[in-house]
Amino acid sequence: MNFTSRILIVPGLGNSGEDHWQSIWEEQWPDFVRVNQQDWETPLCLDWIEQLDEAVMAGDPSEVILVAHSLACTTVAYWAKVFQRSIKGALLVAPSDTEAPTYPSGTTGFSPVPLRQLPFPSIVVASTNDHYVTLERATLFARAWGSELVVLEKAGHINVGAGYGHWPEGLKLLQELDS
């Protein structure tokens, strides 16, 4: 599988460990670049979107595809609202509902979740039993963002804990955005 775009891996709260599909993809494709954050545990939205913008603008933004997981999906929505960059697309996996009372504390500025159309093509991948977002809310996000919605049955938070390591189906979705 070959990719022609500049792929930026955008992890969520706590970063993505070595067994997470984002890390596996990054290891498998050395051209994939992780967007690092200064604080993975108590993030500030403004800091995260500035780091994301710096990574996007390190090259031609029109060739960028973002691969975001969890809180990073909300980060992408805020980044798009503030910077209005034209990129190739975004794969937004397991978006978190930062407005839910059960969402972990320690994040600042990620609520409310922006509900405006993204200025680039996107795919939201959601699960029927994600403890960080209901399917109803994930569907609302996808519609508001103008994203294609892919629903996985009982896939949890689509992470290592839910059995998602290599995740070849996700690579196929990424390839759709890359074509």
Side-chain angles (χ1 to χ4, degrees), residues 5-86:
S5 301
R6 191 162 57 100
I7 309 297
L8 296 181
I9 301 292
V10 191
L13 187 62
N15 201 350
S16 294
E18 65 183 39
D19 295 328
H20 192 284
W21 56 266
Q22 285 183 313
S23 300
I24 292 170
W25 291 5
E26 189 179 357
E27 186 175 311
Q28 193 168 2
W29 283 273
D31 290 343
F32 289 18
V33 175
R34 181 176 299 242
V35 176
N36 284 302
Q37 299 294 346
Q38 294 174 349
D39 188 344
W40 289 108
E41 303 305 324
T42 54
L44 300 173
C45 185
L46 185 58
D47 290 348
W48 276 37
I49 67 172
E50 286 175 352
Q51 286 294 114
L52 177 56
D53 194 59
E54 187 176 303
V56 168
M57 297 309 291
D60 180 357
S62 70
E63 291 301 314
V64 168
I65 297 176
L66 303 174
V67 178
H69 181 256
S70 192
L71 181 61
C73 298
T74 306
T75 303
V76 169
Y78 270 103
W79 168 80
K81 178 181 173 184
V82 171
F83 290 98
Q84 290 292 306
R85 305 275 190 219
S86 182

Side-chain angles (χ1 to χ4, degrees), residues 6 22 31 38 55 57 104 114-115 125 132 134 136 160 162 174:
R6 191 162 57 100
Q22 285 183 313
D31 290 343
Q38 294 174 349
M57 297 309 291
L115 297 177
V125 183
Y132 290 111
T134 64
E136 179 182 32
V160 176
L174 178 57

Side-chain angles (χ1 to χ4, degrees), residues 142-177:
R143 285 188 183 137
W145 296 339
S147 305
E148 174 187 339
L149 177 63
V150 175
V151 177
L152 304 180
E153 289 293 323
K154 297 183 178 164
H157 196 49
I158 314 173
N159 59 5
V160 176
Y164 285 82
H166 179 68
W167 195 34
E169 298 83 6
L171 285 169
K172 289 176 187 170
L173 295 171
L174 178 57
Q175 202 163 38
E176 278 181 38
L177 288 166

